[in-house]
Amino acid sequence: MTGSAPGRRRSWAEPYKIKMVEPLRMTTREEREAAIREAGYNTFLLRSEDVYIDLLTDSGTSAMSDRQWAGMMLGDEAYAGSRNFYHLEQAVREVYGYRHLVPTHQGRAAEHILSKILIAPGDVIPGNMYFTTTRLHQELAGGRFVDVIVDEAHDPASEHPFKGDVDLAKLERVIAEHGAEKIPYVCIATAVNMAGGQPISLANLRAVRELCARHGIRVIHDATRVAENAYFIKDREPGCAGKSVAAIVREICDLTDGCTMSAKKDALVNIGGFLALNEDDVFDAARNLVVVYEGLHTYGGMAGRDMEAVAIGLHESVEYDHIRARVGQVLYLGQKIRDFGVPIVLPIGSHGVFLDARASLPHVDQDLYPAQALAAELYLESGVRAMERGNVSAGRDPVTRENRRPRLELVRLTVPRRVYTQAHMDVVAESVAEVYEQRAAIKGLRMVYEPKDLRFFQARFEPLG
Ligand code: F0G
């Protein structure tokens, strides 16, 4: 018999087989108690060898393909004019369509250079929710980030299919209030990270483009997870089912003037990033600055071999079988956690499952960092490493110095690409469910060391009581 009987659903599996393995080590509860204490109850400060399943981030944690590893052997490590730079430039033109490429060692370096060039003190940068490093570079350049995402994005329970959309009325108000000359660009992220990996629709992006064009304002794209966003557009947006993911990615990029990119996510590499631009004069300025902060404009902080891996990874990122399995694995994990009755951000996002710590721990005040406490407890219980995305990550308001107390108080279970199997996802979901059952015993944390910038990376805590 060939094919499946009508109406019978076929399971799908990972579109790759495993060629090399890295053994995992399970720890004892006593070992984990010592490890998390030593880490100041901050999962960023754990040693990776003390972690069983590592869902800290999807950044730089992907498994490269055999083609990418083969590309690494073709690294041209010339100081200037490496052939891998030209491959990367070609790949960026083909996959994204931007004309000019400035390589950087990772995403925040591209944000640094762009912010320095475009932002003047007193400027305002509207965006569809902040990202930690992006906003900090905007502030360091003298600008101020203003959130113009739809209200639904701040509501974990809203099942709006495009929670990454811009609220056009909010954006119009910001333009009316400050004037277009104070707005160097509107910053549009795809698969909005801090909202839970939520997509922006093509229709909304088109409307943003039109509004900005009327006022002569640029649109800059944080393309870090654009392929994941494109997958959701194909799946959800009316009229898009027949388009390829690759075509949708091009359509998104064509609606913007340039992008910052952390290649450590969609592009399936362990290190790398870039700035891509259409405007000649902004490109000239960026090419000047990259030499100051990163390296010559044909390597920008990357080895030749790393640029080759990015070039190959960009093409792989828009292959349908890959992206369906990547997002599909996250949806599988999310559905399983949801079936256990644990509150999560809905709809399930593209790069991770976000536990709603506010809903899980209503007895813990936000200044006792419920999401941080929940992440520490999950590690203690199971050796699974997650990350806080709430009051610690949001930091302090630069003017009032108060905690920002964001509406989203989340624990992010971020899934690396092509690294873990469905069985790992089962173990994670069961671990989360167990911690959730014991939630009444979680009391919160007191911050005992607070770094000045991006405090979530290195802050230290002590348990209450
Ligand atoms: N933009 C987005 C949307 C990101 O998610 C990140 C990194 C960056 C920019 C900065 O790029 O790390 O290469 O300098 N996000 C990682 C994360 C760190 O875990 O979400 P980078």
Side-chain angles (χ1 to χ4, degrees):
M1 219 173 81
T2 56
S4 49
R8 185 182 301 167
R9 250 186 91 246
R10 273 283 183 91
S11 292
W12 57 270
E14 289 83 353
Y16 50 80
K17 52 187 178 174
I18 296 166
K19 193 176 294 211
M20 191 190 284
V21 298
E22 180 183 335
L24 294 178
R25 188 174 76 96
M26 189 49 180
T27 48
T28 64
R29 170 108 196 169
E30 290 68 41
E31 286 172 324
R32 292 195 295 279
E33 275 169 3
I36 195 77
R37 202 179 320 116
E38 196 147 306
Y41 296 83
N42 184 348
T43 52
F44 274 104
L45 300 178
L46 287 167
R47 289 173 185 235
S48 136
E49 61 185 9
D50 293 329
V51 172
Y52 174 42
I53 298 174
D54 201 349
L55 305 188
L56 183 72
T57 177
D58 63 330
S59 181
T61 52
S62 297
M64 291 206 295
S65 66
D66 51 0
R67 282 178 290 174
Q68 286 177 292
W69 278 109
M72 295 283 279
M73 297 305 291
L74 301 176
D76 170 5
E77 307 307 340
Y79 187 87
S82 160
R83 98 167 82 84
N84 313 112
F85 167 78
Y86 296 101
H87 291 169
L88 179 55
E89 186 182 54
Q90 179 75 16
V92 168
R93 285 179 181 155
E94 283 170 10
V95 178
Y96 292 168
Y98 300 116
R99 290 171 55 218
H100 302 303
L101 169 71
V102 179
T104 59
H105 79 281
Q106 60 182 75
R108 69 197 71 181
E111 294 164 357
H112 174 211
I113 290 169
L114 185 81
S115 301
K116 263 197 138 59
I117 294 168
L118 293 182
I119 300 173
D123 279 354
V124 164
I125 305 93
N128 55 347
M129 202 172 268
Y130 82 101
F131 183 71
T132 53
T133 58
T134 320
R135 180 176 66 190
L136 180 60
H137 281 297
Q138 291 163 357
E139 289 173 354
L140 290 173
R144 186 163 63 85
F145 168 83
V146 181
D147 189 12
V148 293
I149 204 165
V150 292
D151 286 339
E152 286 88 343
H154 294 278
D155 174 6
S158 160
E159 298 207 43
H160 189 302
F162 290 103
K163 285 166 95 172
D165 278 0
V166 169
D167 182 329
L168 295 161
K170 283 187 196 169
L171 180 55
E172 281 193 85
R173 277 200 298 277
V174 175
I175 298 171
E177 187 185 335
H178 299 278
E181 64 289 350
K182 285 276 173 217
I183 303 175
Y185 60 96
V186 172
C187 185
I188 296 296
T190 33
V192 180
N193 191 351
M194 299 304 279
Q198 304 294 334
I200 180 171
S201 62
L202 267 178
N204 183 257
L205 182 58
R206 247 180 244 121
V208 169
R209 180 61 165 182
E210 277 163 25
L211 175 60
C212 288
R214 253 186 283 133
H215 293 276
I217 301 172
R218 286 181 196 86
V219 179
I220 296 288
H221 172 204
D222 182 339
T224 296
R225 297 182 184 83
V226 61
E228 294 177 3
N229 194 119
Y231 175 78
F232 279 140
I233 288 176
K234 180 177 169 69
D235 194 47
R236 293 180 190 164
E237 189 160 349
C240 294
K243 297 182 191 184
S244 70
V245 169
I248 297 170
V249 165
R250 273 300 293 267
E251 213 170 325
I252 293 171
C253 295
D254 286 349
L255 289 165
T256 64
D257 297 293
C259 80
T260 56
M261 176 71 181
S262 171
K264 299 168 73 173
K265 284 81 163 175
D266 257 7
L268 298 156
V269 292
N270 305 120
I271 192 71
F274 53 82
L275 188 57
L277 297 157
N278 286 336
E279 292 166 275
D280 295 338
D281 52 343
V282 184
F283 169 59
D284 267 350
R287 213 159 45 151
N288 273 301
L289 269 195
V290 77
V291 182
V292 180
Y293 293 108
E294 295 286 297
L296 194 74
H297 60 277
T298 57
Y299 75 86
M302 274 192 280
R305 54 181 171 270
D306 292 328
M307 290 191 282
E308 191 65 27
V310 178
I312 296 166
L314 280 180
H315 284 287
E316 291 183 1
S317 76
V318 296
E319 285 170 10
Y320 180 71
D321 284 349
H322 158 69
I323 198 72
R324 181 181 74 147
R326 188 284 182 280
V327 178
Q329 190 179 42
V330 176
L331 301 181
Y332 174 86
L333 173 65
Q335 192 52 48
K336 193 133 189 165
I337 291 175
R338 205 182 168 193
D339 290 345
F340 281 119
V342 179
I344 61 172
V345 173
L346 296 173
I348 298 161
S350 65
H351 66 305
V353 178
F354 290 66
L355 309 179
D356 185 349
R358 182 195 286 273
S360 299
L361 307 176
H363 56 285
V364 180
D365 182 83
Q366 206 170 1
D367 282 344
L368 299 175
Y369 310 112
Q372 189 80 33
L374 191 59
E377 194 59 34
L378 179 63
Y379 171 74
L380 266 176
E381 178 63 41
S382 62
V384 172
R385 171 155 71 171
M387 180 202 288
E388 192 262 11
R389 278 304 185 213
N391 205 13
V392 184
S393 293
R396 292 182 185 276
D397 184 283
V399 180
T400 68
R401 303 307 303 161
E402 294 292 321
N403 274 338
R404 283 190 168 103
R405 295 176 69 97
R407 276 184 69 191
L408 296 178
E409 180 71 25
L410 310 174
V411 172
R412 187 181 75 173
L413 300 160
T414 342
V415 183
R417 297 164 185 78
R418 310 192 288 209
V419 170
Y420 292 114
T421 63
Q422 195 155 305
H424 289 110
M425 297 301 113
D426 292 342
V427 170
V428 171
E430 289 157 17
S431 305
V432 167
E434 253 172 69
V435 171
Y436 184 68
E437 276 168 27
Q438 302 157 20
R439 63 194 179 279
I442 300 175
K443 302 224 159 35
L445 297 167
R446 197 161 55 86
M447 199 185 295
V448 293
Y449 168 66
E450 180 173 358
K452 180 166 155 283
D453 295 317
L454 303 176
R455 63 182 183 177
F456 56 95
F457 283 129
Q458 290 150 348
R460 301 185 70 86
F461 303 83
E462 275 172 9
L464 245 68

